[in-house]
């Protein structure tokens, strides 16, 4: 979870009886402040200037402003552990031992003066069509005591998080198949890290691969789940997971391709020419001599940051790279994030490119909705 720079404002009591609380409420009503939760505010400009993931991080962090944070769980906990998700969660999830507090809270009332905030938003982003919504709190049953925590040096806050094995056992089987694959692909040790010792310290001091777990370890967590349906969901995603996947987009692509009934491609295929390697591609269908490439915005942004080149230069080099691949007799099919979000469009593109279908009697992953709470 990446925390942007931000300045939280709060009053000790949250009651309008004290002067500080009254000033904050007045700023909220004038549209200068956004109320993240009762008694906790952010400058409207800061809230509008960050993206959805950063707003989610700030909403999570706001629970530590007026005291010790709760123990975060499920998707919120995964993000705090450093695991990326396929989609932005709609609620900040944390544990409570009080059964009468379980469930989702009402949506926050972010804006005390929508007209003023909308005017500010238009100044910051002229193409802003609507004000961003906030995130609900969702309380889940569990112990609220926890020794694991993440420290945000930027915000000066400590956020408690559920220990990883319990978090994984409670979360993965609830996710749709494709979302579970995205998580599990990241958890499996990469080949270069397969022999690293198991991590035993706290999250705050963890190395980059602190959340990684072996297939055997994850299978053990799966077998300990109490219900058959839970074990089946986690087992199906674990059987499909592949440590060679290098991004959320690649993991999600594989899962969606399988759900659509297409042959699952090979990963990280090296295209060889007369003088050595020409390119390493995201996907490959050997039967069709067809290369697949996921074009994510992060892919180009990261390439630009590493090379110091402009987006236009990076795109031009990618086009030249594709030309070299095609010159060796390979077909190339590309897709973007929007097509993953609309699988019908992706299916049409894959069919036109000649991606083979799997036999109808072969295994296909179930799309399945998350388990109901």
């Amino acid at each position: 979870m990446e925390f942007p720079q931000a300045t939280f404002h709060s009053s000790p009591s949250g009651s309008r009886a004290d002067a500080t609380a009254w000033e904050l409420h007045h700023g909220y009503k004038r549209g200068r402040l956004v109320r993240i939760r009762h008694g906790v505010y952010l400058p409207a400009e800061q809230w509008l200037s960050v993206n959805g993931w950063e707003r989610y991080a700030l909403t999570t962090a706001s629970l530590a402003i007026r005291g010790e944070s709760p123990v975060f769980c499920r998707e919120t906990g995964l993000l705090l552990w450093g695991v990326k998700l396929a989609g932005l969660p709609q609620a900040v999830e944390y544990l409570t031992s009080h059964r009468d507090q379980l469930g989702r809270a009402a949506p926050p009332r972010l804006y005390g003066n929508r007209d003023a905030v909308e005017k500010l938003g238009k100044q910051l982003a002229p193409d802003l069509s609507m004000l961003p919504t906030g995130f609900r709190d969702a309380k889940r049953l569990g112990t609220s005591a926890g020794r694991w925590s993440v420290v945000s040096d930027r915000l000066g806050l400590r956020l408690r998080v559920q220990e990883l094995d319990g978090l994984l056992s409670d979360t993965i089987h609830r996710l749709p198949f494709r979302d579970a694959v995205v998580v599990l692909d990241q958890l499996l040790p990469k080949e270069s890290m397969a022999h690293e010792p198991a991590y035993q310290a706290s999250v705050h001091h963890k190395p980059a691969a602190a959340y990684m777990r072996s297939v055997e370890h994850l299978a053990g967590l799966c077998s300990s789940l109490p219900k058959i349906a839970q074990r089946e969901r986690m087992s199906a995603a674990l059987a499909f997971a592949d440590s060679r996947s290098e991004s959320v987009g690649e993991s999600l692509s594989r899962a969606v391709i399988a759900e659509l009934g297409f042959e699952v491609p090979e990963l990280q295929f090296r295209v060889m020419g007369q003088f050595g390697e020409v390119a390493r591609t995201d996907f490959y269908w050997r039967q069709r001599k067809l290369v697949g490439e996921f074009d994510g915005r992060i892919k180009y942004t990261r390439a630009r940051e590493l090379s110091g080149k402009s987006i236009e230069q990076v795109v031009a080099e990618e086009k030249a790279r594709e030309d070299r691949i095609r010159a060796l007799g390979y077909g190339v099919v590309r897709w973007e994030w929007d097509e993953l979000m609309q699988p019908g469009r992706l299916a049409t593109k894959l069919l036109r490119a000649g991606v083979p279908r799997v036999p109808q009697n072969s295994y296909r992953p179930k799309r399945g909705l998350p388990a109901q709470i």
Side-chain angles (χ1 to χ4, degrees):
M1 187 177 285
E2 298 292 332
F3 297 95
Q5 189 66 50
T7 305
F8 285 101
H9 298 277
S10 67
S11 63
S13 67
S15 168
R16 297 182 205 170
D18 65 70
T20 302
W22 177 254
E23 291 172 1
L24 294 177
H25 183 72
H26 184 67
Y28 169 70
K29 286 296 186 181
R30 296 289 296 272
R32 294 195 298 265
L33 297 176
V34 173
R35 185 168 61 197
I36 309 302
R37 61 183 63 257
H38 179 68
V40 180
Y41 302 81
L42 275 173
E45 183 174 357
Q46 293 182 4
W47 177 256
L48 297 174
S49 298
V50 297
N51 63 38
W53 291 97
E54 291 170 326
R55 283 191 286 271
Y56 185 84
L58 291 174
T59 305
T60 301
S62 70
L63 281 159
I65 294 298
R66 298 171 63 191
E68 186 177 51
S69 84
V71 176
F72 295 99
C73 63
R74 297 195 185 174
E75 286 98 322
T76 310
L78 287 174
L79 288 170
L80 285 169
W81 270 95
V83 179
K84 297 180 176 64
L85 303 178
L88 183 62
Q90 297 305 302
V92 175
E93 303 194 87
Y94 54 92
L95 298 175
T96 179
S97 57
H98 302 287
R99 291 184 178 273
D100 59 340
Q101 297 180 4
L102 298 181
R104 296 193 175 208
R109 298 183 62 181
L110 293 171
Y111 309 111
N113 186 329
R114 295 187 67 90
D115 290 341
V117 180
E118 285 176 352
K119 182 178 180 180
L120 175 62
K122 290 292 184 182
Q123 296 172 357
L124 296 172
D127 59 343
L128 182 70
S129 59
M130 60 181 296
L131 292 177
T133 57
F135 304 92
R136 301 177 181 223
D137 287 351
K139 299 181 183 181
R140 310 304 184 190
L141 186 63
T143 176
S144 57
R147 63 185 182 87
W148 303 84
S149 61
V150 171
V151 173
S152 169
D153 294 328
R154 178 171 288 177
L155 297 178
L157 298 173
R158 180 182 295 274
L159 305 173
R160 297 190 299 161
V161 62
Q162 188 179 14
E163 59 87 19
L164 186 59
D165 283 353
L167 177 62
L168 297 176
S169 296
D170 186 43
T171 306
I172 291 177
H173 70 85
R174 301 178 188 276
L175 299 174
F177 173 80
R178 60 184 69 172
D179 293 28
V181 168
V182 167
V183 171
L184 289 168
D185 279 357
Q186 297 172 71
L187 297 179
L188 296 177
K190 310 304 178 184
E191 292 182 7
S192 61
M193 307 182 68
H195 303 295
E196 286 194 3
Y199 175 71
Q200 298 294 333
S202 72
V203 177
H204 184 42
H205 302 288
K206 66 181 175 64
Y211 52 75
M212 289 187 175
R213 295 292 188 268
S214 68
V215 173
E216 294 77 15
H217 186 91
L218 292 168
L221 296 180
C222 179
S223 65
S224 67
L225 293 172
K227 297 182 179 179
I228 294 176
Q230 295 173 346
R231 295 194 294 271
E232 287 180 344
R233 284 192 293 268
M234 183 170 177
S235 178
L238 183 57
F240 190 82
D242 194 320
S243 65
R244 293 173 297 173
S245 184
E246 295 183 347
S247 71
V248 169
E250 288 185 17
S251 298
L252 189 60
S253 293
R254 286 175 45 250
V256 172
I257 288 168
E259 288 180 338
L260 290 171
F262 291 98
E263 180 182 294
V264 178
E266 301 175 28
L267 289 175
Q268 315 309 335
F269 175 70
R270 297 180 184 274
V271 177
M272 305 302 293
Q274 183 179 356
F275 302 105
E277 182 178 315
V278 173
R280 186 166 69 90
T281 66
D282 297 336
F283 306 104
Y284 184 55
W285 286 275
R286 190 171 298 273
Q287 181 183 339
R288 296 288 193 269
K289 201 176 181 180
L290 178 65
V291 162
E293 293 277 79
F294 170 70
D295 289 334
R297 184 181 304 168
I298 292 176
K299 176 179 181 178
Y300 292 110
T301 302
R302 185 169 184 270
R304 180 189 61 180
E305 292 172 348
L306 292 175
S307 65
K309 300 174 182 177
S310 68
I311 287 288
E312 292 76 13
Q313 289 174 306
V314 172
V315 171
E317 290 181 357
E318 184 67 18
K319 177 63 168 62
R321 171 179 172 272
E322 179 177 324
D323 290 342
R324 292 194 296 271
I325 295 172
R326 290 185 182 277
L328 293 171
Y330 292 90
V332 179
V333 58
R334 295 180 174 276
W335 59 89
E336 300 177 350
W337 190 265
D338 287 347
E339 290 162 314
L340 285 180
M341 297 298 100
Q342 302 177 55
R345 290 175 56 192
L346 179 60
T348 299
K349 179 169 284 190
L350 296 179
L351 283 171
R352 288 175 178 170
V355 175
R357 291 275 197 177
V358 296
Q360 289 192 359
N361 59 352
S362 63
Y363 170 76
R364 294 187 190 179
K366 297 178 180 179
R367 300 187 195 188
L369 295 173
Q372 296 298 312
I373 306 303

